[in-house]
């Protein structure tokens, strides 16, 4: 299990998070990466292109939990890009300065 987690982290760092600034300065667990609105939009577009899915989107505001949306609220498929793009648009409509994190669904075929 630990090996799978390391491969998932490596996939995310290499294929999804490259070139982006992690805003987690210690307000959450070190392994959870947070991004600005602009960078998180890049994350979502890369996820859409590369084929993993999003289990949930969890923005924080000023270092405190803000809200969460999960794929089950929209669909039964975490890889359906419609759900996470809709959820992101809803967060953006609130016009808050948020830092975005997500939990990811990475199929085994992407880890080989």
């Amino acid at each position: 299990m630990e090996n799978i987690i390391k491969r998932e982290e490596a996939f995310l760092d290499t294929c999804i998070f490259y070139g982006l600034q992690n805003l987690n300065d210690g307000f959450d667990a070190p392994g959870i990466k947070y991004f600005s609105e602009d960078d998180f939009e890049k994350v979502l577009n890369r996820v859409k292109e590369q084929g993993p899915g999003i289990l949930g989107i969890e923005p924080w505001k000023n270092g405190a939990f803000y809200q969460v949306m999960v794929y089950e609220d929209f669909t039964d498929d975490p890889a359906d890009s419609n759900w996470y793009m809709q959820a992101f648009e809803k967060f953006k409509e609130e016009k808050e300065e948020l830092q975005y994190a997500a939990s990811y669904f990475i199929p085994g075929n992407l880890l080989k």
Side-chain angles (χ1 to χ4, degrees):
M1 183 65 154
E2 184 177 320
N3 189 29
I4 291 172
I5 292 170
K6 287 185 187 295
R7 290 189 354 222
E8 288 176 345
E9 289 172 352
F11 172 83
L12 290 169
D13 287 341
T14 303
C15 299
I16 307 297
F17 301 151
Y18 64 89
L20 305 177
Q21 181 182 1
N22 177 12
L23 300 176
N24 184 356
D25 60 4
F27 66 84
D28 202 350
I32 301 175
K33 293 183 171 61
Y34 285 82
F35 301 100
S36 68
E37 185 175 288
D38 288 343
D39 277 357
F40 193 67
E41 189 164 8
K42 291 174 187 169
V43 167
L44 296 181
N45 286 324
R46 292 173 183 175
V47 167
K48 185 176 178 180
E49 292 167 7
Q50 297 284 333
I54 305 280
L55 298 170
I57 299 174
E58 184 179 297
W60 283 42
K61 182 178 178 181
N62 298 322
F65 174 77
Y66 182 75
Q67 191 179 358
V68 66
M69 288 190 200
V70 295
Y71 80 95
E72 291 98 340
D73 295 336
F74 295 82
T75 182
D76 60 356
D77 180 9
D80 178 356
S81 62
N82 289 319
W83 99 257
Y84 54 81
M85 298 307 261
Q86 274 185 316
F88 183 58
E89 287 303 317
K90 287 182 182 188
F91 285 128
K92 285 174 35 176
E93 288 170 4
E94 295 177 17
K95 304 280 189 221
E96 298 287 346
E97 190 171 323
L98 302 174
Q99 296 178 332
Y100 294 88
S103 52
Y104 302 88
F105 168 75
I106 304 171
N109 65 317
L110 294 177
L111 300 177
K112 296 181 180 192

